[in-house]
Amino acid sequence: MGGSAPRRDCHLPVETTSFVDRRREQADGRELLARARLVTLTGPGGVGKTRLAARIAARVERAFPDGVRFVHLAGLDDPALVPLAAADALGLHDHSDRPPLDALVEHVRDRRLLLVVDNCEHLLPACAGLTAALLHGTTGVRVLATSRHRLGLTEEHLLDVRPLPVPDPDGDLSAAYGYPSLALFADRAAAVAPGFRLTAGNRAAVARLCRHLDGLPLAIELAAVRMRVLGVEQLLERLDDRYRLLATGSPAALPRHQTLRAAVDWSHELCTERERLVWARLSVCAGGFDLETAEAVCADGRRIRSYDVLEAVAGLVDKSVLCRDPGPDGVRFRLLETLRHYGLDTLRQTPGEEPATRRRHRDRMQTLATACEQAWFGPGQREIVARLRADQDNLRAALDFSLAEGSGG
């Protein structure tokens, strides 16, 4: 596997919002990594495994002379691409006919590095194979994985990432900011409703709302965005209505996946019809995308035109459905995996909608690849490489679709 050796730097996701607490989990994660070569953060969707893994990795980076690298698997569906994604994260490129996993292990055999493998649950056998090969074929490589399910290796040490603790709404709330669930809600609410803070008058309602949401960070963040137009009591009342539709008895008794589903359903209902359709169509994008890609994928000339997309994207950013990240050519956007899968479910409810959207996505990626090829011998090769790397998951997804469509799959 030729190319550059791993560099001692830390390619971790950029934090665009403040990180609330998780001090104990951070300490436990660092302690586990100090004595174990494989640590898996497990927990339900929306509980914050990815952000916690990135925070732990950033804290232990100095212990790894050859760096900390982040392997994003959310945009992959093909298990065969898992070792290639790991090699790409390490900056390794092999042009031989060796199996990618063998080449990867050989080139990190004497390295001391931490590999963060994120979102393993949909590719468990491939992730387990990658991890086992690294653990058995090297001595200095450690793996920090995130998954809703354990990898199932004997070397695996688990760290259960639980929802944030919530105080009793009818108890003593004088130290409300000491509860990370309430602090998270207050922080996110203040971002959309400047001046909001926890007070004696609203602490009980916020605690009750966070309890209804089972302390799931993603659900709390989605609810807090509603503070732009609703007060806490109104928010709680509407959330209660949503739960009454889903269950008889206590809303808090709902399983956590239903709790998160209810919060996402609620956010979906509060979107405009155009925003819902853009959300659904953007779910075919793997990883991040820029505005031009969003326009190409979402605009069909009938229900949505190109000039409609910007307004819809802005609305989805405001509602915390889309995340806004820096990119090589400016601003990029992405859907959290939970919200992307929700969008895909919505897209598939209309016959023919998913293949039509994927064709537009494929055509956009083909146009991008052609433009980069034509400009390759110009002065901006470094920028072209950065752009192709940023859209790597999208290019793979477009290729997979083309191959499946060509084979009649």
Side-chain angles (χ1 to χ4, degrees), residues 4-17:
S4 59
R7 299 181 299 274
R8 192 188 186 281
D9 54 7
C10 192
H11 286 202
L12 296 173
V14 176
E15 289 189 354
T16 55
T17 55

Side-chain angles (χ1 to χ4, degrees), residues 337-355:
E337 272 305 282
T338 299
L339 304 184
R340 189 171 78 89
H341 285 295
Y342 185 99
L344 277 174
D345 288 343
T346 304
L347 191 69
R348 290 165 179 165
Q349 291 172 11
T350 303
E353 181 70 16
E354 182 183 5

Side-chain angles (χ1 to χ4, degrees), residues 50 70-77 85 117-123 283 285-287 335-338 340-341 344 393:
T50 297
F70 205 95
V71 183
H72 300 270
L73 298 180
L76 299 185
D77 293 316
V117 187
D118 187 42
N119 283 303
C120 296
E121 57 272 349
H122 64 301
L123 297 164
S283 67
C285 295
L335 283 162
L336 295 177
E337 272 305 282
T338 299
R340 189 171 78 89
H341 285 295
L344 277 174
D393 287 341

Side-chain angles (χ1 to χ4, degrees), residues 266-379:
W266 189 35
S267 287
H268 191 257
E269 290 173 5
L270 291 171
C271 291
T272 66
E273 182 177 352
R274 184 173 293 156
E275 288 169 351
R276 293 174 197 167
L277 184 54
V278 167
W279 178 351
R281 290 179 174 177
L282 288 177
S283 67
V284 306
C285 295
F289 51 89
D290 59 16
L291 181 61
E292 290 76 12
T293 296
E295 291 171 341
V297 169
C298 296
D300 58 5
R302 297 179 293 104
R303 299 176 67 185
I304 295 183
R305 293 175 172 80
S306 294
Y307 54 78
D308 297 322
V309 177
L310 174 59
E311 181 180 356
V313 165
L316 292 172
V317 170
D318 285 344
K319 296 175 176 66
S320 290
V321 174
L322 283 178
C323 299
R324 184 180 184 276
D325 297 323
D329 291 334
V331 175
R332 291 177 68 84
F333 307 93
R334 61 183 169 86
L335 283 162
L336 295 177
E337 272 305 282
T338 299
L339 304 184
R340 189 171 78 89
H341 285 295
Y342 185 99
L344 277 174
D345 288 343
T346 304
L347 191 69
R348 290 165 179 165
Q349 291 172 11
T350 303
E353 181 70 16
E354 182 183 5
T357 305
R358 289 196 181 277
R359 289 186 192 103
R360 291 193 296 272
H361 177 261
R362 176 201 59 198
D363 293 346
R364 166 61 181 169
M365 290 301 106
Q366 184 176 13
T367 298
L368 174 64
T370 300
C372 289
E373 180 182 14
Q374 292 173 346
W376 180 251
F377 294 103

Side-chain angles (χ1 to χ4, degrees), residues 38 172 176 251 273 382 385:
L38 169 60
D172 180 10
E273 182 177 352
R382 182 172 297 180
V385 170

